[in-house]
Each structure stands twice: as C-alpha cells, then as structure tokens.
Amino acid sequence: MNAREFEFASLVGPTHNYAGLSPGNLASERHGGNASRPRAAAHQGLERMATLHALGVPQLVLPPQPRPVWGPLRDHGFDGSDAQMVERAARDAPQLLASVYSASCMWAANAASVSPSADTTDCRVHVTPANLSREPHRALETPFTAAALRAALPDRAYFVHHPALSIAGDEGAANQIRLCSEHGTPGLELFVFGQAERGAQGPRLHHARQEEAASRQLASQHRLAPGRALLLQQNPVAIDAGVFHNDVIASGDRSLLVVHEDAFRNGAADLDVIRERFRKACDGELRLIVVERERLSLADAVATYLFNCQMVETASGGTAWIGPRECQEHPGTSRLLEELRADGTFESLHFVDLRESMRNGGGPACLRLRVVLTDSEAEALPSGMRYDEHLHARLAALIDRHYRERLEPADLADPSLIEESRAAVDAATALLGIGSVYQNG
Ligand code: SUG
C-alpha cells in the first residue's frame, strides 16, 4: 500500500514564555524567568515547516490552544472577573499563572501516540492523545489536543481515537519510534519508558515521565499485530543527564536508527534485540548508527539536541536530516554530521533556528507529530489545515498582527494579554477551519 509520512505541527501560541516549569528538562530549568519572544518563536516554527515543505514533506497545521485555562485558577479559589483572577494569581500564585498560560502544546511530539494502519490488526490508524500527567502545565493540553486530532483525522472508517490513558504517565510519540522498510509496509514500533513497573532502578535525580504500564497499554489498545511492538527502558543515567524524553537521544527514519550508546538501559544488548526484532518484523536489515560516548558525551547530546532531529524521506528515497543550529555550532556534532552526509547516510543537512523553542527544551523533533497515512487515508484530511505557501503567508500575517514581540514573566499579569491571546487563537482556528469543534474541546 502506498503511504507517506505526514507531519502535524502546532502554530506556536501567543503566550510562549519561560517559566521553568519542567524539572529534569535542563533548558526549561535554565531559562525560567527570562523574557521570551512569542512573535519570533512562531515565525521560527513556520520557517521549520517551510524547510520541510521544500523537501516535499506533507504537513498539517494544528492551532495553538486557548490560554489561559481558567479551570485550575478557579480550582485554586481565584474568582471574580477574568482580569481579577489573573491579577490575583499573578500576586499569589505566579507559577500557577505561568502554567495556565503555557504555550507548551507547540511540542506536538507529545500530543499523541499514533500507529499506522499497516501495523494494526484492524487496518485502521490508532491515535491516543497523551495524558502528560506528570507535569501540571502539560496535562492541560490533553482535551484540546484530542479535539484538534479528531478534527484533523475525522473519518471514523479510517481513524480510531482512543481516550487518553488514565493508568499511568504517557508523553506520546516523543517516546515512540516506528521502524519499517517502507512507510506503507508493516513496521516495528518501539515504545520507550523511563519508569519500569517493578524491579529496575529508575533515575535518581529527575523523575521519569513515561511509565511502562502506559507504553504497554498503548501497544495493546492500538491493536498492534504480534511482533510489531517492542518495549524498552530508557537508561536512567540518561534521564538524570537531562534526557527527559527518548527523542532527545534516539531518532529513526524507516530502517535507519540513530542512537546514542547510552540511550537504553541494557545498552548494546537492547540494540541487538532491536536489530533482531526488526529483521523478523520488517523482513530487512536495520541500519544502525550508534554514537559512542567518547565521541559525544550525554551532556553534549542534551546541549546540542543532535538526536532531536527530523529524519525524513526525500523524493529520491534517501534521508534528509533537519536539526537545530546548535549542532552546526558545536564542532563535534557538525563533524559527525558531515561524516554521515559524506557516507550517504544523510542526503542533505538542514540547520534551523529554533532558539525560542530550544530554550524550553523543544527541538525540531519535539515540534511535530509523525502520522503515516495511505493515499486514501490522506484524502480524508481537511484541506484547510494542509500546510502550503499560501497558508504560510496567512499565518505569518496573523503572527505579525496578534503576537507580542516580547513577553516578560511579569507581563502575564497584564489583563490585556487575555484578550490578545483569545483573538490570536480565534483567528488561527478560523483560518485553519476548525473553529467550533475546537472551541467545544
Ligand atoms: O515537556 N518544555 C517541554 C518540552 C517538550 C519537548 N518535547 C519533546 N522532547 N518531544 C516539556 O518539558 C517548558 C515550559 C516552561 O518551562 O515554561 C516545557 O514544558
């Protein structure tokens, strides 16, 4: 069956800010309290989409979510008018206010886990929105994300939308890598968790976000055919070094897997298991690139986000690598990437400026959700959400019109931000044509 990988990406929201909300995510911890640049952040996100578009990768744009979310403010006893609630929360609970204003839904890799129809026994695409239950500011995303994904993948004959899991922490596709010979042929889905159900020691410094029980449940409810799911534990040492999601340390494109030697708990033994399981599930050889710690320390992997790249199929069937500028500026990673280009692993290298998102720990891989669709499934996508030059120009104009240049933490107390944010999200949902579905989310 002919199939292609679509990338779903969210327009960065107008309240993008740095509040240090994610312990264990070193960039978020480091930049908390700094001023942000929402307008630049949104343009950087759009430019990343333009890079993908030029490579022929089909994309769908999701809208930013309504912020602030009022429920948690009311739950904490804030009442009165919207402006009064915001003013009081700014005074008495500034972290809570930052949380309900967070634009964190920009990191669409955490939106959901998705299994393409080639892998599932009922031959439908299965989608489970992530509960993001380990971080209060991120858990606010789930209902809106679920509504947006239903709007993006509307046809019930093709798409199964599961409710978010309630049993354990789930952070979506950031901890899932699908390997295959070709997108349209059955694959092997790696579900990587940080916290084991029993026995194995977890991280000591930071909390693990993805729980084994969640990964297990995803593989089961997505009806993956026997042999198509493989659960692996992250290396707790890596989590303690700042690898809060597996996509900070490993990346795949079809039969190519690029990983750091310290990615998985059992090191080389886990890589052997992946190789063997790939052979059986995909009837081919895995192309495995292991970056050794002598070559790149865990600290540098986290600082450069080398693995938080996008590896996408090019028109000629090769792999293009899209990664953050930080990798170009680091001598070790830029040399490594040049070698991988020279030996043909990557057909081309593209360095994108995502500094606004990077300062919150979000690289190129975090900013998109991969959805493999057959041609007929792709026809069911709403055309208004499809990225092209025309939509790009309209979104760019929307950003210039509605987004602030700069946002200081203290600006979250400004009551005019409430209306500005509402106007921007309304304009984006109207432009993408999903207004009412989304508002009712
Ligand atoms: O969940 N940062 C996000 C970054 C998510 C990156 N996604 C992937 N690796 N796929 C997080 O930690 C920081 C928000 C703040 O501190 O203001 C934040 O939520």
Side-chain angles (χ1 to χ4, degrees):
M1 189 83 75
N2 200 34
R4 299 183 71 185
E5 182 175 282
F6 281 69
E7 309 247 337
F8 288 17
S10 168
L11 176 68
V12 173
T15 62
H16 156 64
N17 72 94
Y18 300 120
L21 297 174
S22 291
N25 167 346
L26 305 187
S28 156
E29 286 182 14
R30 189 169 310 129
H31 295 101
N34 289 356
S36 63
R37 297 187 303 140
R39 188 182 292 186
H43 280 300
Q44 287 169 4
L46 271 190
E47 286 309 311
R48 186 195 60 82
M49 294 184 215
T51 303
L52 271 280
H53 188 66
L55 286 163
V57 177
Q59 298 172 85
L60 216 80
V61 182
L62 303 170
Q65 299 190 353
R67 293 290 181 272
V69 182
W70 298 105
L73 294 179
R74 291 200 193 92
D75 292 347
H76 279 78
F78 295 103
D79 55 13
S81 68
D82 290 355
Q84 283 168 334
M85 275 200 277
V86 162
E87 272 164 34
R88 287 170 190 160
R91 195 186 53 221
D92 299 340
Q95 278 305 89
L96 175 66
L97 185 63
S99 193
V100 297
Y101 255 131
S102 177
S104 56
C105 73
M106 72 171 84
W107 299 297
N110 304 116
S113 302
V114 180
S115 296
S117 51
D119 299 351
T120 62
T121 51
D122 62 356
C123 302
R124 295 201 287 167
V125 180
H126 285 251
V127 181
T128 302
N131 62 32
L132 293 159
S133 61
R134 311 301 300 268
E135 294 76 31
H137 70 293
R138 300 225 56 186
L140 302 176
E141 297 166 35
T142 307
F144 297 105
T145 300
L149 290 175
R150 279 174 196 275
L153 300 166
D155 191 325
R156 293 296 168 86
Y158 292 129
F159 309 116
V160 183
H161 292 272
H162 298 274
L165 303 181
S166 55
I167 47 161
D170 172 29
E171 306 257 330
N175 297 312
Q176 183 194 20
I177 297 176
R178 176 175 190 260
L179 300 166
C180 56
S181 294
E182 287 172 35
H183 289 307
T185 57
L188 173 68
E189 299 190 15
L190 310 184
F191 292 89
V192 185
F193 56 88
Q195 187 64 54
E197 274 172 302
R198 61 184 76 84
Q201 168 74 46
R204 290 170 197 276
L205 295 176
H206 303 308
H207 68 293
R209 297 202 189 182
Q210 183 80 26
E211 294 181 73
E212 183 177 2
S215 298
R216 196 175 301 290
Q217 178 64 25
L218 288 170
S220 145
Q221 72 185 24
H222 283 198
R223 299 210 194 180
L224 293 175
R228 306 233 163 270
L230 174 60
L231 268 66
L232 292 165
Q233 185 174 358
Q234 260 187 294
N235 184 348
V237 174
I239 297 177
D240 280 341
V243 182
F244 58 99
H245 287 136
N246 185 61
D247 65 5
V248 176
I249 196 94
S251 180
D253 171 38
R254 291 165 291 156
S255 61
L256 175 65
L257 179 64
V258 182
V259 286
H260 191 275
E261 121 174 80
D262 288 326
F264 302 116
R265 177 172 196 98
N266 302 310
D270 281 340
L271 297 176
D272 285 342
V273 173
I274 300 174
R275 212 187 266 111
E276 192 47 39
R277 289 288 305 275
F278 181 87
R279 204 173 278 139
K280 287 203 185 105
C282 305
D283 207 15
E285 286 302 314
L286 183 71
R287 294 177 297 142
L288 183 61
I289 309 262
V290 183
V291 179
E292 285 155 6
R293 71 182 82 89
E294 275 78 48
R295 185 91 208 244
L296 188 72
S297 66
L298 273 175
D300 280 354
V302 172
T304 58
Y305 262 36
L306 171 74
F307 300 92
N308 199 263
C309 56
Q310 292 177 258
M311 302 198 309
V312 296
E313 182 174 8
T314 60
S316 60
T319 298
W321 181 94
I322 299 106
R325 279 269 165 82
E326 283 73 358
C327 293
Q328 200 173 24
E329 290 157 6
H330 183 279
T333 48
S334 75
R335 208 174 312 118
L336 179 68
L337 287 165
E338 281 306 334
E339 283 172 28
L340 292 172
R341 173 161 64 175
D343 74 11
T345 302
F346 299 131
E347 198 175 291
S348 53
L349 306 174
H350 308 264
F351 297 95
V352 284
D353 178 2
L354 291 170
R355 292 210 206 273
E356 285 295 310
S357 168
M358 286 284 283
R359 288 186 179 134
N360 255 338
C366 307
L367 288 161
R368 59 87 172 92
L369 177 68
R370 307 167 103 171
V371 183
V372 172
L373 299 172
T374 64
D375 292 345
S376 22
E377 289 158 359
E379 273 174 32
L381 300 182
S383 56
M385 296 170 85
R386 285 287 291 265
Y387 175 92
D388 59 15
E389 289 89 352
H390 179 63
L391 182 61
H392 184 119
R394 296 182 75 192
L395 289 170
L398 183 155
I399 294 163
D400 288 339
R401 171 146 190 227
H402 289 284
Y403 285 47
R404 289 191 187 192
E405 199 87 57
R406 194 180 152 85
L407 206 53
E408 297 274 355
D411 294 335
L412 298 182
D414 175 1
S416 48
L417 188 62
I418 303 170
E419 203 36 59
E420 284 171 36
S421 165
R422 200 171 276 152
V425 173
D426 279 353
T429 50
L431 186 53
L432 297 167
I434 69 162
S436 62
V437 178
Y438 195 58
Q439 297 303 323
N440 297 334

